Amino acid sequence: MEEVVEGRSTSRHEYPDLDDDPTFAWSGSPSASRVEEDTGEWDDDDDNDDDDDDDDDDDELYEPDEDLDDQTPGVWDGQYAEDGFSSSDDETSDEDEGFYTLQSDVATFQQNLRNRGRSRDDDSSSRRVGRRGPRKPAEPSLEIKLLLSQANEAFISKDYDRAEECAIEVIQMNAETYAAHALLSGIFLERGETQMGIVAQMSAAHLRPKDVSLWRSCVKMILDHSIDDRRRYLKDAIYCYTRMIQINPKDIESRYQRALLLRELGHKGKAVHEFETMLEILPHDPTLLRQLAEVYVDLNEVEKAKEQYRSYIAAAAEPDDPEAESFSWSDLNIFVELFGYKGECLEGVKELKTLSRWLLGREQESYWDDIQEDDREWDAEDSPRRILTEGFVQGLFARESYGEGLPLELRVKLGVYRLKADTEHLNEAMLHFEWLQPDDSGPEAKIFDYPDLFLDVADALLARDHHHEALRFYKPLLQVDAYHNVRLCLRMATCYNKLGLVDEAEQHYKEVVENDARNKEARVQLAKIYEALDMPDEAFTYVNEVLELERQDVEERRLRRGRAGPDPAAENNADSFLPPPSQPVRTSTRKRGSPSNSSAKRREEREKDREILVRTQYARLQAVEDRMKSDDEDAVREWMEAASMMIKDFRGAKVFYPWDKYIKFLGYTRGPQAKGSRSKDDLVADMEAMGNRLQATLQQEEAQNGGEKAEIPTTYRNIGFGEWLDIFLRYALCLAKRGETKASYEIINAAYDAVVFYHSSDSVYLIYVCWSACALLAGDDETICNVARWFMKEFQFTTDAYRFHAALNRLCRGPNTWYNSGPSQKFILRQVKAMDYSLVSEEQRLKHFGEKASYTSKDSEGNLAVNDDMDVALLTLYGHMLYAGTNYAFALTYFFRAYSCDPTNPLLNLFLGLCYIHYALKRQSTNRHHLITQGLSFLLAYHDMRMQSPEVVERQEAEFNLARTYHTLGLTHLATPYYEKVLDMSTTIMNQAGRPEGTTQDFVRDAAYNLQNIYYTAGNLEMAKKVTDRYLVI
C-alpha cells in the first residue's frame, strides 16, 4: 500500500531521513507561489548562470546600498544583528574567529598580489578627483583582454604558473575584473590549494555582491572541498548563505541550508531561530517541523517540539485553514516519538491511538479514549475483545479502519511504549509484536521489509529482561546481511547467556571476537563462561586479551592527553597476568604492584580492627538472642544493631560477591580479605580477580594431582557460614515485622548473591523460605508468586510445591491480583505442558507440541527429573487460576482432567460444581438450567463425601457451601435449613476443641450473617434479631 509522505511516494514503513534531500512546501505548492508574490522575481536554482546583461548588472551593483556595498567578508556580528541575531550570543565566538580568519586571508591575498606586481608609472598613482562611493567598473582595456586570453590559453594547456602570472597582472591593472578572480580560483583548485581557491572565489563574488548564483557557486565549492577540515569550511559556507539571505530575506532554501549547517556546528540556538523564522513564512511545513523538533530534542526542550506539533494538528483538523498541510502517518510517528524522550509512554500511547483514529476517519468514536488499559480497538478482529466494548457498533466503520488500518511502524511503537510503561503490559505488547510474524521464514516474510522494526522490538524486550521473547525477534535478523553484525551477535549472546544456554552464548560471543578485534565485552563474558565450565586455560586466554586491550586504551588516552612517560595504571597492569610471550601465564609468580611496607602494615591493622569489631558485635548478639526470640523490644533493637554491623562487614568482603554469582568460592587467597582496596577501574580489577581465582583453581588441580587437597574455608571472621546465613535471615524477618519490607528484601538479596550461599542448595532453600515469610508479613502478593515459582521450578512435578504455592496465596492478606495474572498463568501452563510432554508418544509430540518441554529440576544424580504420571495438584491449581479469572469454560477442562485421576476427591467435586454454577450466571451462557443442574450434581456429591468425614468442621463446611450455593441462586428456602445446621454444629465444634466460642475455625458467623439477611429480606425481623443477638453480637 502506497501513501504520500511529505511530498514523495513511500511505502507505509518508510519515513523521510535526515540525510534525504528535503522536499518543502515551496517546491510547487501554493505556499511557494505566495512567497514569490511577496518577494518579487527570485530564483533559488543553484545552477543558474549569470545570463543578464552586464551593463544592467553593473548599474544595479553600483547603486548606493548601505547594506552590502561597504561590507567585507567575515563581518559576522553586523550581518546577524540585522537578521535577528545578537552579537552577544555566547555561541558566536567560533564563528567570529572563522570569519575574521577569512577576512585576513583575503587581505593577505590582495597584499601578495600587490607585492608581486610590476612597477607602475608615476602618473598612474595619482588620485582621481570625483564623487565618492560606488562607481561603474572601467571597460577592460585591450591589454587586459589580451592578458585574459593568454591566461585562459595557459590554463587550458595546464601551464598554471603562466596562467597565474597573467591573472595576477590583470588584477593589479584592474582589481575589479571578475574573470581574473574566477580564473585564479580555478588555478588554485587545480593545484590542490583549496583554501586559496576558495578565497579567490569569494573575492570574485564580492565584485558582484547581489548575484545570488555566485554565492551559491561559492557554497558548492566550499562544501565540495570540506572533507579535511569541514568545521572550518562550514563557517565560510554559512557566511555565503548569510549574504544570499541579505539579498532576499525570504530565501527559504538558503535559510534552511544555513540552519542545517548551524546545527552541524553545534549552534543549536541559532538553528532554532532559523527554523522558527521559516515557519513564520511557511506555517506547518512538515519538513521544517521535523527539523525543528530534532533541534528541540538536542536542546532538551521536548515540550516546545510537542507544542509545535499540537499547533500543526489543530490546524490540520480545520479543513478551511489554507495554511494547514495534510497531516500524515509520518508526522504522527514523529510526534509520538517525542513522548518517548521524556519517558511519557502512556501519554504517547493515548495520543497515538487518538490521532490514528482521526486519520482513519473514526474521530467520532471518542469512547475509545476511556479504555487505556488495553488496545482492543486495534485488534485484527472484532471478536473476542472489541465486540464487548460498550458503545462499539459492529459494521459502522470498515474493518480496515481498525486493526489493519494502523501502520505497522506505529503498531510496533504502540507495543514498545506499552512495554516500557509497565511490565504488566507484556501480553498487550506481544499482541502488537506478533503482527511482525517473527516465526515466518518464507521469502515473503516481514523481516525482509521491516528489519528495523524487528530490531526495535528485540531491543525493547531485552531492556525489560524478556530474553526468550527478544530472541524470537533477534534470530530473523540473521537473514538480513545489513543487520547481521557484531551488535546483533552480542545482544543475542546476552540473551542466551541469561537463559542459561551456554553453548549458544559461547558461539555468538566467539563470532563477535572473530569480527571485532577490540571488543572487550565478548571476551569478558567468554572468560566468565569458561571459568564456570572449569576450563581455566581458555578463560586465562580471554582474561589476558581483555587486560591487553585495556592497557592499549590507557596508552591511547595518555597519548591523547599528551602526557610524557609511562602511565601509573599501565605500570600496575603490566605486572598482572600478562607475562612476556615466552613465559607461560599459568606459571607466572610475579606479584602485582609493590606497595610500601607502611601501607601494608596499615591495611593489616585496619583488618585486625574490623575483625575485633565483628567478634564484639557477635558476642553482643549472642547475649541477647534468647530474649530477642521472646519478642523483647529492647533485646530485638540491640540484636538488630549488632546484626546490622556484622552484615555490613560481610557485604563489604568482595570475595563473596564476584563479577558473576556462578563463580564458586575457593578461599581468601589474594582476595579482598588479604588485600586492601584497589584504585583500578572495575573492569581491570574484576579481570585480575578472575585471574587470581583461575590461578588458584589450577594450583588446586596440581595439588590434587600431587596427592594433596586444597582446603576451602568454611568460616569468615571465625564465624561459620551457617551462622552468618542465620543472622542474615533473622535480621530480614525483624525488618519485615517492623514494616520495612524493601530493606528486608535487600538483605535477603544480599544473602542470595553471596557465592558461599548461592552454591549451597540448602542455603538457597532457607533463603527462599525466609523470603516467602517476609512477603507474607508484608502482604506482597507479587513477591509471593515469584518465590513460589522458584519452589515449583526447583521441585518440578512435586505435589507439595504446588500446594505450597496455593497455601502462600491463601495466607496472603493482600488483593492477590498476581495469583491469576498473565505471567502466573503462563508459568503454570508451561508446567502442565512439560508434564504432558512426557506422557504422550513421539507422534503426538510432533503433532501437538510446538517445542520441547522445559524440565527445570534434577534428581540426585544430576539428571533432569521427568514425571511418569499426571499431578492432580498441578491440574487443579491451573484450573483454579482460570476459575479466579472467570474463564470457567477453560477451567472445567483442567478440573475434569484432575477429576478423571481422583474422582472421590471432595474438593474437585466442589470446584466443578462452583464452576458450573458461576458459568451459568454469566451473560454468555446458552443453557443456564443445564449448567445449574450439572453444578448442583457435583455439589451434592461433594456434600455427601464431606458428610462422611469424622471431623465436624469438614461436615460444617459442606453444609455452609451448599447453603451458600442455594443462596447465590436465590433459593433461600433451600438455603435456610443448611444455614441452621451450620449454627447447630457450632456448639459441637467448640466442645471438641475445648476452647471458648470464637477462637477456633468455624462458619457460624458467616452463616449467621447470611441467615440474618434472609430473614430481614423476608420481613421476619424477630428471627433476624434473634440470630443477630445470639451469634453476631460480641
Side-chain angles (χ1 to χ4, degrees):
M1 180 177 179
E2 295 286 325
E3 63 178 354
V4 177
V5 179
E6 298 185 0
R8 62 189 177 91
S9 177
T10 178
S11 63
R12 180 176 292 167
H13 69 281
E14 291 178 347
Y15 295 102
D17 189 71
L18 282 177
D19 297 331
D20 296 341
D21 292 331
T23 305
F24 299 97
W26 59 82
S27 301
S29 69
S31 300
S33 62
R34 290 197 301 276
V35 173
E36 293 175 359
E37 290 171 4
D38 293 340
T39 61
E41 296 181 0
W42 58 279
D43 187 5
D44 62 351
D45 186 2
D46 292 346
D47 300 323
N48 66 333
D49 297 323
D50 186 18
D51 296 330
D52 298 331
D53 185 69
D54 293 339
D55 294 336
D56 295 339
D57 289 343
D58 294 339
D59 291 338
E60 181 183 2
L61 175 63
Y62 286 98
E63 290 177 1
D65 191 328
E66 60 183 5
D67 290 336
L68 298 176
D69 292 343
D70 297 331
Q71 292 182 4
T72 55
V75 187
W76 172 259
D77 292 344
Q79 294 158 0
Y80 258 90
E82 294 173 9
D83 198 33
F85 289 98
S86 172
S87 61
S88 62
D89 194 332
D90 57 355
E91 295 181 355
T92 62
S93 58
D94 291 339
E95 297 169 1
D96 291 341
E97 181 183 355
F99 295 134
Y100 284 124
T101 301
L102 177 62
Q103 182 181 6
S104 176
D105 291 341
V106 173
T108 303
F109 172 68
Q110 294 174 347
Q111 181 63 35
N112 291 338
L113 294 180
R114 287 193 293 270
N115 293 338
R116 296 173 61 178
R118 297 173 299 181
S119 61
R120 313 296 295 174
D121 295 334
D122 294 339
D123 58 341
S124 65
S125 62
S126 62
R127 298 180 180 272
R128 300 178 188 176
V129 179
R131 72 182 183 91
R132 299 176 62 184
R135 56 183 174 78
K136 189 174 182 179
E139 180 71 20
S141 63
L142 293 176
E143 184 180 3
I144 289 178
K145 291 181 179 179
L146 179 61
L147 287 172
L148 285 175
S149 176
Q150 293 174 357
N152 286 324
E153 290 177 0
F155 182 80
I156 293 173
S157 60
K158 297 184 179 182
D159 186 358
Y160 299 128
D161 293 338
R162 174 60 181 162
E164 180 187 3
E165 182 180 349
C166 293
I168 291 175
E169 189 171 355
V170 169
I171 292 173
Q172 289 177 339
M173 294 175 65
N174 186 354
E176 297 174 349
T177 307
Y178 167 78
H181 288 278
L183 179 61
L184 196 59
S185 174
I187 293 171
F188 287 134
L189 292 178
E190 289 295 331
R191 286 176 173 172
E193 300 176 18
T194 304
Q195 181 63 19
M196 292 301 297
I198 292 175
V199 170
Q201 184 68 16
M202 296 279 283
S203 298
H206 277 86
L207 295 176
R208 298 180 181 178
K210 291 189 177 181
D211 191 338
V212 175
S213 63
L214 292 181
W215 293 110
R216 291 193 186 280
S217 64
C218 287
V219 171
K220 186 175 186 304
M221 179 183 298
I222 291 170
L223 296 180
D224 289 344
H225 297 85
S226 61
I227 299 175
D228 297 333
D229 190 1
R230 182 170 176 80
R231 184 176 180 85
R232 177 183 178 185
Y233 288 122
L234 289 187
K235 295 176 183 177
D236 298 341
I238 291 175
Y239 172 79
C240 296
Y241 280 126
T242 302
R243 298 304 297 259
M244 287 187 278
I245 294 170
Q246 288 175 341
I247 297 171
N248 181 8
K250 293 187 178 181
D251 183 353
I252 302 297
E253 176 66 24
S254 297
R255 283 190 179 275
Y256 180 80
Q257 296 299 334
R258 183 170 74 172
L260 294 181
L261 296 182
L262 285 169
R263 182 188 178 192
E264 185 176 347
L265 285 174
H267 304 305
K268 299 181 179 62
K270 292 177 181 177
V272 166
H273 176 85
E274 287 288 352
F275 287 123
E276 290 176 344
T277 301
M278 286 184 278
L279 282 173
E280 292 177 2
I281 302 173
L282 294 174
H284 314 308
D285 183 87
T287 302
L288 296 178
L289 277 174
R290 176 176 183 177
Q291 294 288 352
L292 180 58
E294 292 180 353
V295 181
Y296 274 137
V297 171
D298 293 340
L299 294 172
N300 198 25
E301 296 178 354
V302 180
E303 289 301 323
K304 290 185 178 180
K306 290 196 287 189
E307 287 302 320
Q308 289 283 355
Y309 267 95
R310 286 194 175 101
S311 175
Y312 178 24
I313 293 168
E318 297 292 337
D320 298 332
D321 188 350
E323 297 293 337
E325 295 291 336
S326 175
F327 188 78
S328 65
W329 291 111
S330 176
D331 301 319
L332 174 57
N333 185 53
I334 298 169
F335 176 55
V336 174
E337 186 70 26
L338 296 174
F339 292 91
Y341 288 109
K342 287 291 186 180
E344 300 168 345
C345 295
L346 291 181
E347 187 176 350
V349 167
K350 183 177 180 180
E351 292 287 350
L352 190 154
K353 294 163 67 175
T354 301
L355 293 175
S356 297
R357 191 182 318 122
W358 168 53
L359 288 174
L360 290 169
R362 295 189 292 105
E363 61 271 16
Q364 68 187 66
E365 291 189 337
S366 58
Y367 56 84
W368 290 114
D369 292 333
D370 299 329
I371 302 175
Q372 296 299 328
E373 64 272 10
D374 59 46
D375 303 321
R376 67 183 71 178
E377 176 185 3
W378 305 105
D379 289 350
E381 303 291 341
D382 293 338
S383 297
R385 299 197 303 175
R386 191 160 57 228
I387 199 172
L388 301 178
T389 305
E390 183 178 357
F392 173 71
V393 179
Q394 190 174 15
L396 180 62
F397 294 97
R399 192 180 67 174
E400 292 76 12
S401 64
Y402 291 94
E404 296 180 2
L406 186 66
L408 198 54
E409 298 88 343
L410 292 174
R411 180 177 292 280
V412 168
K413 191 176 296 293
L414 185 58
V416 170
Y417 278 13
R418 283 286 186 190
L419 191 63
K420 289 182 178 179
D422 198 333
T423 308
E424 294 182 4
H425 294 162
L426 173 62
N427 294 336
E428 197 68 32
M430 291 304 298
L431 290 177
H432 294 297
F433 298 157
E434 290 297 337
W435 283 68
L436 291 174
Q437 301 174 6
D439 301 324
D440 183 7
S441 58
E444 302 297 326
K446 287 186 170 58
I447 180 60
F448 301 109
D449 295 326
Y450 305 98
D452 54 328
L453 299 184
F454 276 76
L455 185 62
D456 291 342
V457 170
D459 288 346
L461 290 168
L462 176 59
R464 282 291 185 174
D465 294 329
H466 300 299
H467 304 104
H468 183 270
E469 291 80 1
L471 280 173
R472 289 187 60 207
F473 293 89
Y474 277 134
K475 289 178 182 178
L477 289 169
L478 296 174
Q479 307 174 55
V480 184
D481 294 338
Y483 286 82
H484 189 178
N485 50 29
V486 169
R487 176 176 176 270
L488 175 63
C489 293
L490 193 60
R491 298 196 175 192
M492 289 184 66
T494 301
C495 293
Y496 283 124
N497 202 15
K498 294 293 184 180
L499 292 173
L501 302 175
V502 179
D503 293 339
E504 292 82 354
E506 178 190 5
Q507 175 186 347
H508 284 82
Y509 281 134
K510 283 187 173 181
E511 187 173 351
V512 173
V513 170
E514 292 172 359
N515 292 277
D516 188 353
R518 298 192 60 82
N519 190 288
K520 288 183 280 190
E521 182 179 353
R523 289 170 169 82
V524 168
Q525 297 300 329
L526 282 171
K528 296 175 185 177
I529 289 174
Y530 288 133
E531 182 184 16
L533 295 175
D534 293 330
M535 301 170 65
D537 290 327
E538 290 81 357
F540 254 120
T541 300
Y542 290 106
V543 168
N544 292 340
E545 290 183 8
V546 172
L547 292 176
E548 175 61 26
L549 290 173
E550 187 66 21
R551 182 182 303 163
Q552 293 174 7
D553 291 343
V554 170
E555 182 65 19
E556 290 177 2
R557 290 194 295 267
R558 185 185 67 80
L559 293 175
R560 283 197 298 268
R561 290 193 299 264
R563 289 183 180 178
D567 187 84
E571 287 185 346
N572 288 336
N573 290 344
D575 288 330
S576 56
F577 301 102
L578 291 172
S582 60
Q583 180 181 359
V585 69
R586 294 204 298 125
T587 59
S588 175
T589 58
R590 299 176 64 187
K591 296 182 178 179
R592 295 175 292 133
S594 55
S596 63
N597 294 331
S598 59
S599 299
K601 289 180 179 179
R602 284 197 298 270
R603 284 198 299 271
E604 291 177 1
E605 291 175 359
R606 285 197 299 268
E607 191 67 24
K608 290 179 180 179
D609 292 341
R610 292 193 192 99
E611 185 164 357
I612 293 173
L613 176 63
V614 170
R615 295 297 304 174
T616 302
Q617 297 303 321
Y618 183 61
R620 179 186 173 195
L621 182 146
Q622 287 181 313
V624 298
E625 185 172 5
D626 294 335
R627 290 191 295 126
M628 185 273 294
K629 292 180 180 179
S630 60
D631 292 334
D632 185 314
E633 288 295 333
D634 295 333
V636 170
R637 188 182 308 107
E638 186 175 356
W639 188 94
M640 291 184 67
E641 289 177 358
S644 175
M645 298 181 69
M646 293 180 65
I647 290 174
K648 183 178 180 180
D649 179 81
F650 187 94
R651 295 175 68 179
K654 300 299 183 182
V655 70
F656 299 140
Y657 298 94
W659 180 279
D660 275 325
K661 291 185 294 186
Y662 57 72
I663 298 173
K664 294 183 178 181
F665 175 67
L666 298 174
Y668 301 112
T669 303
R670 301 179 69 181
Q673 196 175 36
K675 180 182 177 181
S677 60
R678 296 171 297 204
S679 61
K680 302 174 184 177
D681 60 61
D682 292 339
L683 178 61
V684 174
D686 286 315
M687 287 295 97
E688 292 185 351
M690 183 182 295
N692 282 329
R693 293 192 299 270
L694 294 170
Q695 189 171 4
T697 301
L698 293 169
Q699 290 174 354
Q700 185 178 12
E701 291 178 356
E702 292 173 358
Q704 289 176 348
N705 294 335
E708 299 178 2
K709 184 176 181 180
E711 183 179 355
I712 299 177
T714 58
T715 63
Y716 176 67
R717 308 290 193 196
N718 294 322
I719 302 173
F721 289 140
E723 295 179 69
W724 278 107
L725 179 61
D726 184 67
I727 293 171
F728 269 90
L729 301 185
R730 286 182 183 274
Y731 185 65
L733 287 171
C734 290
L735 290 172
K737 289 178 181 178
R738 297 173 60 176
E740 301 179 26
T741 306
K742 186 176 180 180
S744 68
Y745 290 166
E746 182 181 349
I747 295 299
I748 294 175
N749 272 312
Y752 182 74
D753 291 339
V755 291
V756 290
F757 305 136
Y758 181 80
H759 293 284
S760 170
S761 58
D762 293 338
S763 298
V764 173
Y765 180 85
L766 292 175
I767 288 172
Y768 272 95
V769 170
C770 180
W771 211 333
S772 63
C774 292
L776 282 176
L777 289 169
D780 185 358
D781 61 324
E782 179 181 359
T783 301
I784 284 176
C785 290
N786 290 334
V787 171
R789 286 186 198 177
W790 180 85
F791 286 98
M792 290 184 287
K793 285 175 61 178
E794 293 298 315
F795 304 97
Q796 194 176 26
F797 310 127
T798 302
T799 300
D800 286 343
Y802 306 120
R803 289 177 175 172
F804 185 65
H805 178 277
L808 287 176
N809 283 275
R810 171 66 181 82
L811 294 173
C812 180
R813 50 187 172 85
N816 277 349
T817 56
W818 278 84
Y819 172 70
N820 63 325
S821 64
S824 297
Q825 288 190 26
K826 285 188 174 182
F827 177 82
I828 300 298
L829 181 59
R830 285 196 294 269
Q831 297 284 310
V832 173
K833 289 181 177 179
M835 177 186 68
D836 293 341
Y837 188 84
S838 63
L839 300 178
V840 298
S841 63
E842 187 65 28
E843 181 181 355
Q844 291 176 315
R845 292 175 183 174
L846 296 175
K847 181 178 180 181
H848 299 290
F849 291 85
E851 57 184 11
K852 190 177 180 181
S854 55
Y855 298 113
T856 57
S857 60
K858 297 181 179 180
D859 56 21
S860 58
E861 298 179 357
N863 300 320
L864 290 175
V866 181
N867 63 301
D868 55 3
D869 60 354
M870 285 193 292
D871 194 306
V872 175
L874 175 58
L875 295 170
T876 306
L877 176 60
Y878 186 61
H880 208 277
M881 283 184 172
L882 297 172
Y883 170 84
T886 70
N887 296 315
Y888 304 118
F890 297 106
L892 284 171
T893 302
Y894 292 92
F895 283 147
F896 271 118
R897 288 188 62 185
Y899 179 81
S900 65
C901 299
D902 190 4
T904 60
N905 190 317
L907 288 180
L908 287 176
N909 284 272
L910 173 64
F911 295 153
L912 282 166
L914 293 177
C915 203
Y916 271 117
I917 295 295
H918 287 289
Y919 190 20
L921 298 179
K922 291 190 69 173
R923 181 168 57 87
Q924 294 91 344
S925 60
T926 56
N927 195 337
R928 188 165 299 170
H929 294 287
H930 173 73
L931 294 173
I932 292 175
T933 302
Q934 289 284 93
L936 288 177
S937 65
F938 283 105
L939 281 169
L940 291 173
Y942 152 75
H943 181 267
D944 293 341
M945 294 176 191
R946 276 299 198 208
M947 294 307 293
Q948 303 299 321
S949 173
E951 296 292 334
V952 181
V953 175
E954 293 184 356
R955 297 200 300 271
Q956 186 192 44
E957 170 206 301
E959 302 285 6
F960 177 81
N961 283 333
L962 194 57
R964 187 69 185 85
T965 302
Y966 285 133
H967 196 174
T968 301
L969 294 173
L971 304 175
T972 55
H973 64 290
L974 296 178
T976 301
Y978 289 101
Y979 280 137
E980 292 174 347
K981 291 180 182 179
V982 172
L983 298 180
D984 294 340
M985 291 181 179
S986 177
T987 305
T988 306
I989 293 175
M990 297 306 158
N991 293 337
Q992 285 186 355
R995 289 181 291 178
E997 184 177 357
T999 60
T1000 188
Q1001 179 182 3
D1002 64 37
F1003 299 88
V1004 62
R1005 288 182 180 171
D1006 300 277
Y1009 180 78
N1010 292 343
L1011 192 58
Q1012 174 212 51
N1013 287 336
I1014 292 175
Y1015 286 141
Y1016 183 82
T1017 303
N1020 192 345
L1021 301 181
E1022 181 180 353
M1023 289 298 298
K1025 184 176 183 303
K1026 182 179 179 180
V1027 171
T1028 302
D1029 292 340
R1030 180 173 180 182
Y1031 297 103
L1032 300 178
V1033 176
I1034 299 177

